[in-house]
Amino acid sequence: EFEAQTPYFYADYEEENEAPPLPGPKALVVGSGPIRIGQGVEFDFCSVHAAWALQEAGYRAILVNCNPETVSTDFDTSDRLYFEPLDAEAVLDILENEGVDGTPVLVGFSGQTGLNLAGPLQAAGARLLGANAEAIDLAEDRERFDALMETLGIPRPPGASVTTLEDALRAAERIGYPVLVRPSYVLGGRAMQIVHTPQGLRTYWEEAVRAGPGRPVLVDKYLPGVEVEVDAVADGEQVLIPGIMEHIERAGVHSGDSFAVYPALHLPSHLVQTVVFYTERIARALGIRGLLNIQFVVHEGQVFVLEVNPRASRTVPFISKVTGVPLPQLATRIALGETLQTLGYPAGLWPKQPLVAVKAPVFSTAKLQGVDVLLGPEMKSTGEAIGVDVRFPAAFTKALMAAGVFPKTDGRPFFFSIDDRDKPQALPLAVALHRLGIPLVATEGTARYLRRSGVPVARVVKKLREGSPNAVDLIRAGDVAAVINTGYSGTALRDGFHIRRAAVERGIPCFTSIDTVRALVEALEKASRGYSVRPIRAYRIGATAP
């Protein structure tokens, strides 16, 4: 036998303790836990960089996590790793071992996992760095947050926090359908839905209560519009915003499942100023010393706040890489007591970089039987890929390629099955694809609409209930290059599920949002311009268009 020299520890029931308290200044970083839907490896990026920033500041970095498949649980990432469950009992045991008074805790780098631990840790005497439990509750508690927004003069969609179905029905009637409903204090938009009728709300209620037992359910007016997102870092007074991201898909698709574009290409300068102003006011009002994520929707020319998360988000690595602003490192140093000024960073909006970057969601649904890939308010992605270039079409093409969903233009047709409400928006896209020489096949209703509008359809495909060969047979045979399918209710939703599942299982790109297809068509139309391949740093310092 020999003595193992490793900073890797876990708890057991023996009396021997091989982890005596680390000497000197130290801090504990709460990791993100399992990589799962809603809790991606992006949070592990933040935890790792927080540990490294602690070490650069002269602190011993202690990490607690329970996932062996992450960089944070590598033996050489931190000064000490506790491989333990991410619950209050386990973290408090670690703090007791290390010395609660001398071991401050960083909970803002692990997504919702850390935020949910903030209350019990602070109540037990732990010293939290960055956002404290009060700031977290102020952002999460609907009534308190609404009151704060009213005080600050910042508009948000009308809504209510309810605990009974009867209250939910009354709130929805007062607000007006459609409404966005979700449990509070959950990650990844779990059990979030857009509800259009009272019956739909009754059907939804059981799922909401199961996802967030004992928590209020949030009922908000659904505002269609362009969703924009901000990751910022604040030091209690000054606020730095590396950049503003614009979602390709309209509001109603979870931010984790949408394509995000930096910089926001369609946001007028006066609305950019509004987003910056609102972000600064909210950060100061919450007393944030660290990271902050805010999601907005632009509806009829007005900016509304959708939600505020006083923590790292899944877009922190993306915006850090494409702007060059090291958000996790800055947030860690600020949590330790430094300021943006002492760190050499200005307040306000960081200069816009001479590039376009696209964040593409990556899904694991091929491995999950029975899961629908239809985009909606509840997140389903498990990761993301990035495309960077000097023009949007090239960056979007790269992002699709990196995510493995760029359609092959090899002569095979694109399959169209479009919901009635989407047909007017789909028509110009079908025209553009035909002009590019891509043949189209479609189900009967979509084919009839396209042909009546002057768009040739190479083949009409039967619906599932009409027998074989039908749409699913065509897709399983690999006879289409891409599937474009939207369907929201009734038979269309049921047929659409089987169509989408067949595409996913066959590895054929499947698009369920007209907004995504519009961006795809733009990329295909301008593919002849090509794209460049350079390091991100080269784009940031000013690459020229090829």
Side-chain angles (χ1 to χ4, degrees), residues 190-223:
R190 184 180 168 207
M192 185 188 297
Q193 285 186 21
I194 299 172
V195 174
H196 296 267
T197 64
Q199 183 55 46
L201 184 54
R202 292 188 184 93
T203 304
Y204 165 83
W205 187 257
E206 184 178 346
E207 173 65 20
V209 173
R210 186 163 59 246
R215 300 284 194 179
V217 173
L218 310 177
V219 181
D220 293 312
K221 177 66 178 175
Y222 170 64
L223 299 180

Side-chain angles (χ1 to χ4, degrees), residues 141-157:
D141 185 284
R142 174 49 48 90
E143 293 182 1
R144 298 186 67 197
F145 183 69
D146 283 350
L148 176 64
M149 292 301 100
E150 186 172 351
T151 300
L152 297 176
I154 297 176
R156 56 167 286 105

Side-chain angles (χ1 to χ4, degrees), residues 395-409:
F396 188 69
T397 297
K398 288 181 178 180
L400 289 175
M401 287 179 171
V405 292
F406 188 78
K408 296 178 181 179
T409 52

Side-chain angles (χ1 to χ4, degrees), residues 20-28 54-55 57-62 79-80 95 97-104 127 336:
L22 284 174
K26 56 191 172 183
L28 173 70
L54 287 172
Q55 293 170 334
Y59 280 70
R60 297 287 192 94
I62 303 171
D79 294 285
R80 177 168 285 179
L95 291 175
N97 185 63
E98 292 287 347
V100 175
D101 294 337
T103 312
R127 181 160 62 96
L336 294 174

Side-chain angles (χ1 to χ4, degrees), residues 9-32:
F9 298 98
Y10 57 89
D12 63 18
Y13 290 96
E14 299 210 7
E15 294 182 4
E16 181 184 10
N17 184 359
E18 298 182 21
L22 284 174
K26 56 191 172 183
L28 173 70
V29 180
V30 177
S32 58

Side-chain angles (χ1 to χ4, degrees), residues 49-101:
H49 283 272
W52 292 344
L54 287 172
Q55 293 170 334
E56 292 172 2
Y59 280 70
R60 297 287 192 94
I62 303 171
L63 257 165
V64 54
N65 206 349
C66 59
N67 188 347
E69 297 295 330
T70 56
V71 180
S72 67
T73 51
D74 287 353
F75 69 93
D76 56 352
T77 293
S78 56
D79 294 285
R80 177 168 285 179
L81 167 68
Y82 286 95
F83 196 79
E84 289 292 292
L86 294 177
D87 56 33
E89 180 181 4
V91 176
L92 288 172
D93 284 345
I94 294 167
L95 291 175
E96 181 181 358
N97 185 63
E98 292 287 347
V100 175
D101 294 337

